[in-house]
Amino acid sequence: MKKLLSFLIIATIITSSLCVSYLALGDNITQSNTAENTTEPVTEISSTVATTESTIIPTTTEPIVKVKNIKVNKSIISLSKKGKTATVKVTVYPSNSYNKSVTWKSNNTKVATVDKNGKIKATTNKGVTYVTARAKDGSNKFSKVFVVVGQKVQKITLNKSFVTLNRSTKNITYQLKKSIRNNNATYKAVNWYTSNKNIATVDSNGKVTVRKRGTVTITARAKDGSNKAAKCKITVKQLVTKLSYSSKKQAKEV
């Protein structure tokens, strides 16, 4: 009886052990399958992300547009005395330049100074200088303003108001001379102009060179911004150098 009881106990223990082992094995298989099922979507997502990133096209950078030209609203500034001011404005081209800022600089601060906004101030009672507006974008584009401090030109006269020239040779010349009435004018220089360069030209010293027959006006204009000017009207006549006769005895100019 004791042997039978011992046998039953041993059999029960063995059976229990086998059941536990089987259950443990089943759990491992289930966990393994679950893990595999869980990791598969992650692998697919990673693959999808990698594919998407590899097809992204980088955006292109817009080209930098630099300044090509700077214009000032006044090329000449006249200031009557020390302490007087005037402001110059600039326009930058092209309009889509990435940096439209400019730096202002005076060539002679003993005559005039200029601030960052283009405001010019006379620092003396008489003198000339210029200020420069230069682009900040490295293009080195700039524009200059001529500054005159002191008395403006009040009147200009020429040595002749009317001249008649007989053009006997090619490129005959005539010298015009200007005179500034007020000797205390700060800047007495003038620009010379011709109304018709085909008839006559004029150089920076007032020397007129005749080209052909006709009438032309030569003008001397003050450079100090006063806009004072004087004019000379020149009439060029062609001399008769040779006569020829037709069958009807009519003289013809050659």
Side-chain angles (χ1 to χ4, degrees), residues 27-104:
D27 289 340
N28 289 336
I29 293 172
T30 302
Q31 290 176 1
S32 177
N33 290 335
T34 303
E36 289 178 359
N37 292 335
T38 303
T39 56
E40 284 180 358
V42 174
T43 303
E44 291 177 357
I45 291 173
S46 300
S47 176
T48 302
V49 171
T51 303
T52 304
E53 290 179 350
S54 65
T55 58
I56 293 176
I57 301 174
T59 57
T60 57
T61 304
E62 291 293 331
I64 295 176
V65 179
K66 287 193 173 185
V67 174
K68 293 184 179 180
N69 191 19
I70 296 176
K71 289 187 177 181
V72 291
N73 64 329
K74 297 177 182 178
S75 59
I76 301 175
I77 292 292
S78 295
L79 302 173
S80 60
K81 60 182 180 179
K82 182 178 180 179
K84 292 294 183 179
T85 63
T87 300
V88 178
K89 296 181 180 180
V90 298
T91 303
V92 175
Y93 298 93
S95 59
N96 62 336
S97 299
Y98 85 99
N99 186 355
K100 297 181 182 180
S101 301
V102 300
T103 56
W104 287 93

XYZ file of all heavy atoms in Angstrom, residues 27-104:
591
model
N 3.981 30.039 -23.713
C 4.114 31.486 -23.483
C 5.254 32.073 -24.290
O 5.164 33.164 -24.856
C 4.334 31.758 -21.989
C 3.066 31.495 -21.181
O 1.969 31.482 -21.805
O 3.187 31.347 -19.954
N 6.372 31.339 -24.340
C 7.528 31.829 -25.106
C 7.198 31.954 -26.579
O 7.579 32.905 -27.251
C 8.721 30.887 -24.924
C 9.298 30.986 -23.505
O 9.123 31.998 -22.844
N 9.975 29.923 -23.059
N 6.487 30.936 -27.083
C 6.114 30.976 -28.504
C 5.191 32.147 -28.772
O 5.327 32.873 -29.747
C 5.446 29.639 -28.913
C 6.477 28.509 -28.842
C 4.851 29.743 -30.306
C 5.875 27.122 -29.041
N 4.228 32.358 -27.852
C 3.278 33.467 -28.027
C 3.983 34.804 -27.974
O 3.742 35.699 -28.776
C 2.203 33.403 -26.927
O 1.557 32.141 -26.991
C 1.196 34.530 -27.110
N 4.923 34.965 -27.002
C 5.660 36.218 -26.880
C 6.517 36.468 -28.105
O 6.644 37.584 -28.586
C 6.538 36.173 -25.619
C 5.722 36.229 -24.329
C 6.606 36.074 -23.100
O 7.823 35.944 -23.240
N 5.991 36.071 -21.928
N 7.125 35.406 -28.613
C 7.967 35.550 -29.801
C 7.153 36.014 -30.986
O 7.546 36.905 -31.725
C 8.650 34.216 -30.108
O 9.411 34.309 -31.289
N 5.970 35.408 -31.179
C 5.107 35.806 -32.297
C 4.629 37.236 -32.140
O 4.546 37.999 -33.098
C 3.903 34.862 -32.393
C 4.317 33.469 -32.864
O 5.344 33.336 -33.538
N 3.540 32.451 -32.511
N 4.316 37.584 -30.891
C 3.837 38.951 -30.638
C 4.915 39.969 -30.944
O 4.682 41.018 -31.535
C 3.401 39.090 -29.172
O 2.401 38.124 -28.897
C 2.859 40.495 -28.905
N 6.147 39.643 -30.524
C 7.262 40.571 -30.788
C 7.500 40.733 -32.269
O 7.740 41.822 -32.770
C 8.526 40.045 -30.094
N 7.419 39.595 -32.994
C 7.628 39.678 -34.441
C 6.544 40.508 -35.093
O 6.798 41.325 -35.969
C 7.638 38.272 -35.031
C 8.882 37.470 -34.653
C 8.834 36.055 -35.210
O 7.820 35.714 -35.857
O 9.795 35.318 -35.004
N 5.297 40.306 -34.650
C 4.195 41.081 -35.230
C 4.322 42.564 -34.895
O 3.902 43.423 -35.648
C 2.849 40.544 -34.716
C 2.565 39.140 -35.253
O 3.082 38.776 -36.309
N 1.770 38.367 -34.519
N 4.914 42.844 -33.743
C 5.042 44.242 -33.317
C 6.144 44.952 -34.083
O 6.023 46.105 -34.446
C 5.340 44.306 -31.808
O 4.317 43.629 -31.113
C 5.418 45.756 -31.337
N 7.242 44.273 -34.350
C 8.385 44.924 -34.997
C 8.195 45.096 -36.485
O 8.815 45.949 -37.092
C 9.669 44.121 -34.743
O 9.453 42.778 -35.203
C 10.017 44.116 -33.271
N 7.359 44.320 -37.115
C 7.195 44.423 -38.564
C 6.680 45.786 -39.005
O 7.241 46.388 -39.913
C 6.265 43.307 -39.058
C 6.941 41.952 -39.109
C 6.018 40.858 -39.600
O 4.836 41.172 -39.868
O 6.480 39.720 -39.719
N 5.636 46.339 -38.373
C 5.180 47.670 -38.798
C 6.255 48.729 -38.619
O 6.382 49.634 -39.407
C 3.979 47.945 -37.891
C 3.512 46.593 -37.475
C 4.753 45.761 -37.360
N 7.070 48.630 -37.550
C 8.139 49.599 -37.320
C 9.125 49.560 -38.459
O 9.569 50.577 -38.969
C 8.840 49.307 -35.974
C 10.044 50.214 -35.808
C 7.856 49.471 -34.831
N 9.474 48.315 -38.881
C 10.403 48.175 -40.003
C 9.837 48.810 -41.252
O 10.522 49.509 -41.990
C 10.692 46.685 -40.264
O 11.204 46.102 -39.076
C 11.692 46.529 -41.398
N 8.560 48.630 -41.493
C 7.924 49.195 -42.676
C 7.901 50.719 -42.610
O 8.158 51.396 -43.594
C 6.496 48.657 -42.807
C 6.440 47.179 -43.156
C 5.017 46.661 -43.212
O 4.099 47.448 -42.921
O 4.837 45.476 -43.544
N 7.639 51.278 -41.430
C 7.606 52.740 -41.275
C 8.979 53.326 -41.540
O 9.130 54.309 -42.247
C 7.121 53.115 -39.857
C 5.647 52.747 -39.702
C 7.328 54.597 -39.589
C 5.122 52.909 -38.294
N 10.011 52.683 -40.962
C 11.368 53.166 -41.171
C 11.713 53.154 -42.644
O 12.316 54.085 -43.166
C 12.370 52.299 -40.395
O 12.085 52.355 -39.012
N 11.343 52.114 -43.319
C 11.619 52.007 -44.744
C 10.910 53.101 -45.512
O 11.462 53.712 -46.414
C 11.179 50.627 -45.248
O 11.358 50.544 -46.640
N 9.661 53.381 -45.117
C 8.890 54.415 -45.803
C 9.512 55.786 -45.598
O 9.645 56.579 -46.518
C 7.446 54.434 -45.282
O 6.880 53.149 -45.476
C 6.623 55.489 -46.000
N 9.943 56.097 -44.377
C 10.556 57.387 -44.074
C 11.829 57.569 -44.870
O 12.088 58.608 -45.447
C 10.840 57.500 -42.562
C 11.665 58.744 -42.276
C 9.535 57.534 -41.783
N 12.648 56.531 -44.912
C 13.905 56.616 -45.650
C 13.650 56.889 -47.114
O 14.328 57.691 -47.742
C 14.693 55.313 -45.475
N 12.646 56.228 -47.677
C 12.329 56.428 -49.089
C 11.851 57.842 -49.347
O 12.235 58.487 -50.310
C 11.242 55.426 -49.528
O 11.700 54.114 -49.260
C 10.940 55.586 -51.010
N 11.015 58.361 -48.427
C 10.485 59.717 -48.590
C 11.597 60.747 -48.521
O 11.669 61.672 -49.318
C 9.440 60.004 -47.495
O 8.433 59.021 -47.558
C 8.838 61.393 -47.687
N 12.514 60.594 -47.557
C 13.604 61.546 -47.410
C 14.524 61.545 -48.623
O 15.029 62.580 -49.028
C 14.402 61.218 -46.150
C 13.642 61.513 -44.865
C 14.451 61.144 -43.638
O 15.499 60.500 -43.795
O 14.017 61.505 -42.538
N 14.718 60.405 -49.210
C 15.634 60.319 -50.342
C 15.085 61.002 -51.583
O 15.828 61.315 -52.495
C 15.935 58.847 -50.654
O 14.747 58.194 -51.080
N 13.779 61.277 -51.623
C 13.188 61.903 -52.809
C 12.965 63.398 -52.637
O 12.430 64.050 -53.513
C 11.841 61.240 -53.128
O 10.974 61.353 -51.989
C 12.022 59.785 -53.483
N 13.360 63.991 -51.482
C 13.184 65.429 -51.264
C 14.160 66.197 -52.150
O 15.355 65.916 -52.175
C 13.421 65.793 -49.790
C 12.325 65.170 -48.920
C 13.457 67.312 -49.610
C 12.527 65.402 -47.443
N 13.656 67.202 -52.887
C 14.491 68.029 -53.759
C 14.827 69.320 -53.030
O 13.935 70.054 -52.616
C 13.761 68.356 -55.074
C 13.407 67.050 -55.796
C 14.614 69.263 -55.962
C 12.570 67.260 -57.030
N 16.111 69.643 -52.832
C 16.471 70.867 -52.106
C 16.054 72.109 -52.873
O 16.096 72.139 -54.104
C 18.002 70.768 -52.000
C 18.399 69.876 -53.131
C 17.274 68.901 -53.298
N 15.628 73.156 -52.147
C 15.215 74.407 -52.785
C 16.438 75.190 -53.235
O 17.473 75.184 -52.581
C 14.402 75.261 -51.799
O 15.197 75.493 -50.630
C 13.117 74.557 -51.407
N 16.327 75.915 -54.366
C 17.441 76.703 -54.891
C 17.489 78.069 -54.210
O 16.463 78.638 -53.857
C 17.277 76.908 -56.407
O 16.011 77.537 -56.651
C 17.327 75.577 -57.137
N 18.689 78.626 -54.042
C 18.877 79.933 -53.422
C 18.714 81.033 -54.461
O 19.262 80.946 -55.552
C 20.285 80.031 -52.801
O 20.448 78.955 -51.886
C 20.465 81.357 -52.077
N 17.951 82.093 -54.124
C 17.752 83.208 -55.041
C 19.072 83.949 -55.253
O 19.832 84.152 -54.314
C 16.706 84.173 -54.470
C 15.296 83.615 -54.428
C 14.723 83.392 -55.818
O 15.127 84.117 -56.738
O 13.897 82.484 -55.976
N 19.378 84.376 -56.488
C 20.627 85.093 -56.741
C 20.635 86.454 -56.054
O 19.600 87.113 -55.940
C 20.636 85.257 -58.268
C 19.197 85.161 -58.666
C 18.574 84.197 -57.692
N 21.790 86.866 -55.579
C 21.936 88.163 -54.911
C 22.030 89.258 -55.972
O 22.877 89.207 -56.857
C 23.184 88.172 -54.019
C 23.014 87.171 -52.866
C 23.449 89.568 -53.475
C 24.233 87.038 -51.992
N 21.153 90.247 -55.869
C 21.137 91.362 -56.821
C 21.885 92.537 -56.205
O 21.477 93.083 -55.183
C 19.695 91.786 -57.171
C 19.706 92.957 -58.150
C 18.925 90.605 -57.752
N 22.985 92.925 -56.830
C 23.781 94.037 -56.323
C 23.383 95.353 -56.995
O 22.749 95.371 -58.043
C 25.270 93.770 -56.546
C 25.844 92.709 -55.623
C 27.362 92.719 -55.656
C 27.930 91.780 -54.610
N 29.410 91.858 -54.552
N 23.788 96.442 -56.363
C 23.498 97.779 -56.880
C 24.265 98.004 -58.181
O 25.453 97.691 -58.279
C 23.892 98.853 -55.843
C 23.732 100.254 -56.430
C 23.047 98.699 -54.585
N 23.571 98.555 -59.174
C 24.201 98.855 -60.460
C 24.365 100.352 -60.694
O 25.200 100.773 -61.494
C 23.380 98.236 -61.599
C 23.390 96.717 -61.600
C 22.635 96.165 -62.801
C 22.679 94.641 -62.816
N 21.934 94.081 -63.982
N 23.557 101.142 -59.987
C 23.644 102.588 -60.186
C 23.034 103.317 -58.995
O 22.090 102.823 -58.379
C 22.914 102.995 -61.473
C 23.205 104.428 -61.873
O 24.180 105.030 -61.425
N 22.359 104.997 -62.714
N 23.596 104.471 -58.673
C 23.067 105.336 -57.616
C 22.881 106.728 -58.202
O 23.802 107.276 -58.812
C 24.018 105.404 -56.407
C 24.156 104.030 -55.752
C 23.518 106.419 -55.384
C 25.146 104.005 -54.608
N 21.701 107.290 -58.011
C 21.432 108.641 -58.495
C 21.057 109.544 -57.325
O 20.354 109.130 -56.412
C 20.305 108.634 -59.536
C 20.709 108.017 -60.864
C 19.616 108.182 -61.908
C 20.047 107.622 -63.259
N 18.991 107.801 -64.290
N 21.536 110.787 -57.385
C 21.201 111.779 -56.364
C 20.229 112.790 -56.954
O 20.246 113.050 -58.158
C 22.470 112.496 -55.853
C 23.332 111.549 -55.047
C 23.270 113.088 -57.007
N 19.367 113.341 -56.108
C 18.373 114.293 -56.618
C 18.970 115.677 -56.880
O 18.373 116.502 -57.573
C 17.194 114.408 -55.653
C 17.591 114.981 -54.298
O 18.713 114.777 -53.837
N 16.681 115.692 -53.655
N 20.182 115.927 -56.340
C 20.872 117.194 -56.581
C 22.353 116.912 -56.803
O 23.002 116.309 -55.952
C 20.700 118.144 -55.393
C 19.263 118.552 -55.117
C 19.184 119.427 -53.875
C 17.742 119.805 -53.559
N 17.651 120.627 -52.322
N 22.875 117.361 -57.930
C 24.299 117.139 -58.211
C 25.163 118.284 -57.699
O 26.373 118.133 -57.535
C 24.520 116.959 -59.714
O 24.067 118.098 -60.426
N 24.538 119.448 -57.451
C 25.248 120.616 -56.921
C 24.454 121.193 -55.755
O 23.236 121.371 -55.852
C 25.439 121.708 -57.991
C 26.226 121.171 -59.190
C 26.161 122.919 -57.403
C 26.338 122.169 -60.330
N 25.144 121.461 -54.664
C 24.528 122.091 -53.495
C 25.259 123.402 -53.214
O 26.490 123.430 -53.118
C 24.612 121.178 -52.254
C 23.725 119.948 -52.441
C 24.207 121.935 -50.994
C 22.248 120.242 -52.466
N 24.508 124.485 -53.088
C 25.081 125.786 -52.745
C 24.614 126.185 -51.351
O 23.406 126.239 -51.089
C 24.653 126.848 -53.764
O 25.180 126.559 -55.041
N 25.557 126.469 -50.474
C 25.267 126.909 -49.108
C 25.900 128.280 -48.909
O 27.091 128.465 -49.179
C 25.818 125.901 -48.096
C 25.285 124.463 -48.242
C 26.031 123.522 -47.305
C 23.792 124.410 -47.969
N 25.114 129.236 -48.457
C 25.567 130.626 -48.422
C 26.634 130.903 -47.373
O 27.514 131.738 -47.582
C 24.373 131.558 -48.200
O 23.727 131.248 -46.972
N 26.567 130.195 -46.233
C 27.540 130.463 -45.171
C 27.611 129.294 -44.191
O 26.847 128.321 -44.298
C 27.173 131.744 -44.426
C 25.815 131.703 -43.755
C 25.505 133.035 -43.075
C 24.135 133.008 -42.404
N 23.836 134.292 -41.724
N 28.503 129.422 -43.240
C 28.721 128.391 -42.230
C 27.440 128.126 -41.438
O 26.742 129.053 -41.042
C 29.838 128.832 -41.284
C 30.202 127.814 -40.216
C 31.350 128.328 -39.366
C 31.731 127.329 -38.285
N 32.869 127.823 -37.461
N 27.142 126.840 -41.247
C 25.960 126.446 -40.486
C 24.748 126.122 -41.340
O 23.815 125.464 -40.873
N 24.751 126.569 -42.597
C 23.631 126.281 -43.492
C 23.651 124.804 -43.897
O 24.715 124.191 -44.020
C 23.685 127.166 -44.730
C 23.429 128.639 -44.450
C 22.003 128.864 -43.969
C 21.700 130.337 -43.765
N 20.307 130.572 -43.312
N 22.447 124.251 -44.101
C 22.340 122.827 -44.413
C 21.465 122.579 -45.640
O 20.665 123.429 -46.033
C 21.745 122.042 -43.226
O 20.411 122.510 -42.978
C 22.594 122.198 -41.981
N 21.630 121.413 -46.200
C 20.789 120.930 -47.306
C 20.855 119.408 -47.292
O 21.884 118.827 -46.931
C 21.261 121.479 -48.643
N 19.760 118.771 -47.669
C 19.694 117.306 -47.653
C 19.581 116.756 -49.072
O 18.791 117.252 -49.875
C 18.500 116.816 -46.817
O 18.638 117.298 -45.479
C 18.440 115.292 -46.793
N 20.383 115.751 -49.343
C 20.387 115.094 -50.650
C 19.780 113.700 -50.505
O 20.081 112.979 -49.551
C 21.817 114.987 -51.214
C 21.810 114.267 -52.556
C 22.431 116.369 -51.360
N 18.925 113.332 -51.442
C 18.307 112.005 -51.436
C 18.881 111.160 -52.569
O 19.217 111.679 -53.632
C 16.789 112.121 -51.579
C 16.121 112.824 -50.406
C 14.613 112.884 -50.589
C 13.942 113.586 -49.413
N 12.463 113.650 -49.582
N 18.967 109.858 -52.317
C 19.507 108.950 -53.327
C 18.444 107.948 -53.766
O 17.539 107.606 -53.009
C 20.742 108.180 -52.807
C 21.861 109.121 -52.471
C 20.383 107.320 -51.608
N 18.581 107.492 -55.000
C 17.756 106.411 -55.531
C 18.694 105.321 -56.022
O 19.628 105.599 -56.786
C 16.868 106.886 -56.689
O 16.059 107.981 -56.238
C 15.957 105.762 -57.172
N 18.445 104.093 -55.563
C 19.314 102.963 -55.894
C 18.664 102.109 -56.971
O 17.469 101.811 -56.907
C 19.598 102.115 -54.633
C 20.407 100.875 -54.990
C 20.331 102.946 -53.592
N 19.456 101.726 -57.963
C 18.983 100.868 -59.049
C 19.832 99.604 -59.122
O 21.041 99.666 -58.891
C 19.052 101.610 -60.390
C 18.184 102.841 -60.455
C 18.699 104.096 -60.139
C 16.840 102.750 -60.820
C 17.900 105.231 -60.194
C 16.044 103.884 -60.882
C 16.577 105.119 -60.573
O 15.785 106.239 -60.624
N 19.207 98.431 -59.434
C 17.772 98.224 -59.638
C 17.002 98.270 -58.324
O 17.598 98.203 -57.245
C 17.703 96.837 -60.274
C 18.907 96.135 -59.745
C 19.976 97.182 -59.634
N 15.691 98.345 -58.440
C 14.848 98.490 -57.253
C 14.841 97.240 -56.384
O 14.501 97.311 -55.207
C 13.410 98.833 -57.670
O 12.879 97.820 -58.515
N 15.217 96.084 -56.959
C 15.225 94.836 -56.184
C 16.616 94.493 -55.648
O 16.893 93.339 -55.316
C 14.694 93.677 -57.022
C 15.547 93.396 -58.247
O 16.252 94.278 -58.734
N 15.486 92.184 -58.760
N 17.491 95.472 -55.563
C 18.813 95.250 -54.966
C 18.635 94.772 -53.530
O 17.807 95.313 -52.789
C 19.632 96.540 -54.986
O 19.827 96.993 -56.308
N 19.415 93.766 -53.136
C 19.199 93.161 -51.818
C 19.630 94.086 -50.686
O 19.161 93.975 -49.559
C 19.927 91.816 -51.721
C 21.383 91.903 -51.320
C 21.778 91.670 -50.011
C 22.364 92.221 -52.254
C 23.110 91.751 -49.640
C 23.689 92.297 -51.891
C 24.062 92.060 -50.581
O 25.380 92.145 -50.223
N 20.521 95.039 -50.964
C 20.956 95.997 -49.946
C 21.036 97.380 -50.580
O 21.934 97.672 -51.360
C 22.314 95.591 -49.377
C 22.736 96.476 -48.208
O 22.065 97.451 -47.876
N 23.842 96.136 -47.576
N 20.087 98.238 -50.235
C 20.015 99.570 -50.833
C 20.670 100.645 -49.965
O 20.617 101.824 -50.306
C 18.555 99.951 -51.090
C 17.837 99.053 -52.079
C 16.410 99.524 -52.285
C 15.664 98.611 -53.241
N 14.266 99.052 -53.450
N 21.294 100.251 -48.889
C 21.904 101.223 -47.982
C 23.154 101.841 -48.600
O 23.857 101.202 -49.386
C 22.268 100.551 -46.657
O 21.124 100.005 -46.038
N 23.420 103.098 -48.235
C 24.618 103.793 -48.706
C 25.336 104.428 -47.525
O 24.739 104.690 -46.480
C 24.286 104.886 -49.749
C 23.611 104.287 -50.965
C 23.411 105.980 -49.135
N 26.620 104.668 -47.704
C 27.398 105.414 -46.720
C 27.748 106.770 -47.315
O 28.085 106.872 -48.497
C 28.693 104.669 -46.350
O 29.448 104.401 -47.545
C 28.383 103.356 -45.658
N 27.662 107.802 -46.497
C 27.966 109.164 -46.936
C 29.327 109.579 -46.395
O 29.675 109.277 -45.254
C 26.901 110.135 -46.438
C 25.584 110.027 -47.141
C 24.507 109.280 -46.765
C 25.212 110.691 -48.347
N 23.480 109.439 -47.663
C 23.881 110.299 -48.641
C 25.854 111.573 -49.207
C 23.195 110.771 -49.752
C 25.174 112.041 -50.315
C 23.858 111.644 -50.585
